[in-house]
Every structure is written in structure tokens, then in C-alpha cells.
Amino acid sequence: MTTILVIAKEPRPGRVKTRLTPPFTPRQAAELAEAALVDTLHAVAATPAARRVLVLDGAPGSWLPPGFDVVAQCAGGLDERLAHAFAGCAGPALLIGMDTPQVTPELLTVDFAGCDAWFGPARDGGFWALGLACPDPALLRGVPMSTPVTGAVQRERLVAAGLRVRDLPTLRDVDTAADAGAVAALAPRGRFAARLARCSPAAETTAEPVSRPAGPR
């Protein structure tokens, strides 16, 4: 059975979803990030898995449901952090992020019979899911992250290694306010949609400037 990995940041104001500010305040952006993460974790909790692991930058909070092991992200770029997450898996593993709260257990229930890898492209050119029957960190190291060609380069890396790749549906990440509205419409009963409905950019007061990290969000 598959190990499911969720790579995420602790939802703290000023550290997550900085591209949502403006129109949202840093606190609202963090609340939306937390709701997206919780929706994702609950989808994972409802998916058959050998093990469920939260690969976290930060500290877990009351938002973490039971049944998850928590491991710290390593230092370095996103490619190194993804590679390190897979390095801790002895068998088949599927890794996803925290930016697709519309994900469902059905999407996450993958079968490696007849294939070596699953690849979930993201609409922005990245990828929202990567599954490996035999996790090999070298398949991720050196892939340029957070670019419009990240997904294409990562998938080509899999193919060049001789892996039989199957594709998952293309999903939209939540990066901007427009993304948030579109994704909430896809999962209107989720926590993310409910939190977005309570966040009113028109009613916010002046927010403090947020420094934007140069690396991956």
C-alpha cells in the first residue's frame, strides 16, 4: 500500500500565501492557507494508505487531524525538500502539496500496477502530485522549481529514467485571489470555500507590507 506525503508550511501570517496579499491581509491569507491544508489533510485521511506523513516547515497545530506522522522539512531549495521527503519512504509513495484543497480521496487512490510513476500537472505549469513506485530522490534533485516549465521538466525526468508514467488530472493551485475563487467553486462545501466566503477584501483595513521570499512559497 502507498505512503501519502503532504508537504506544507505552517500557516502563519506573512509566511504563507503571500501572493494573496493584497487583496487579503496576511492574517486572512494564513487563514485561507490553513483551510486549504485542512481540506487536503482530511482528503488524505480518507484515502487508503500504508502511512500518512506531513512533511512540515514549522510546527503542527490544532488543525492537524489524527493519523499523521510529522517530519520536518530539510534545508535547501524545494527540489531538495521534495527529494528528502521521498528519501524517507521504503515503498510506493505519493506526494502532494497544500495548494489544492479540491483534491479528493478518489484522485489520491493510485495503483502502481502497470506503471512506475504518477504525475499530476498543475495549471500554472508546475505539478500538484508525484507518485513513485520506487522512490528515488535523484529524480527530483536539480529540477527547477516554481517556474512555468517545472512540471514539464519533472515529467521528462521521469520518462528519461525509463519510468512508465501515468497522468492524473490537471488541477489548479491556489496562488492568487482569482485562483482562490475558482478553486472554492470546485469544492463549495469544503473548509476552504467557507473560509473564503468569510474573507472580504473590500472590508479589510490597511495591511502591513509583506516581504516576499525569493524562493518557493
Side-chain angles (χ1 to χ4, degrees):
M1 196 173 286
T2 303
T3 293
I4 303 181
L5 307 161
V6 180
I7 188 159
K9 283 184 178 181
E10 178 187 357
R12 290 170 53 194
R15 295 193 70 248
V16 291
K17 294 287 162 232
T18 56
R19 288 175 63 187
L20 292 179
T21 57
F24 300 105
T25 67
R27 180 169 297 280
Q28 288 173 327
E31 290 171 349
L32 289 168
E34 179 176 324
L37 177 56
V38 171
D39 277 344
T40 301
L41 293 174
H42 279 266
V44 171
T47 305
R51 185 182 176 210
R52 300 172 183 87
V53 182
L54 175 62
V55 186
L56 185 63
D57 175 3
S62 59
W63 41 262
L64 179 65
F68 284 81
D69 297 328
V70 179
V71 300
Q73 292 185 27
C74 71
L78 182 55
D79 63 320
E80 286 291 341
R81 287 179 275 142
L82 297 180
H84 183 262
F86 276 111
C89 300
L94 176 72
L95 181 144
I96 65 171
M98 61 182 285
D99 297 336
T100 51
Q102 73 272 41
V103 74
T104 64
E106 290 74 24
L107 281 175
L108 300 178
T109 304
V110 297
D111 184 356
F112 286 95
C115 75
D116 306 302
W118 284 92
F119 184 77
R123 181 174 163 176
D124 63 2
F127 60 93
W128 67 269
L130 177 62
L132 298 172
C134 298
D136 179 359
L139 292 170
L140 294 106
R141 292 194 177 108
V143 173
M145 296 289 166
S146 301
T147 78
V149 298
T150 293
V153 174
Q154 181 63 75
R155 194 183 190 287
E156 179 55 34
R157 178 75 69 88
L158 304 177
V159 173
L163 303 186
R164 298 165 295 171
V165 182
R166 288 183 179 171
D167 292 308
L168 291 161
T170 300
L171 295 187
R172 185 169 183 166
D173 286 335
V174 175
D175 289 322
T176 65
D179 294 331
V183 168
L186 294 172
R189 298 181 181 177
R191 296 166 184 81
F192 180 79
R195 173 55 63 184
L196 181 63
R198 293 196 294 270
C199 291
S200 174
E204 70 174 90
T205 57
T206 303
E208 295 181 0
V210 178
S211 59
R212 301 180 188 276
R217 294 178 298 281

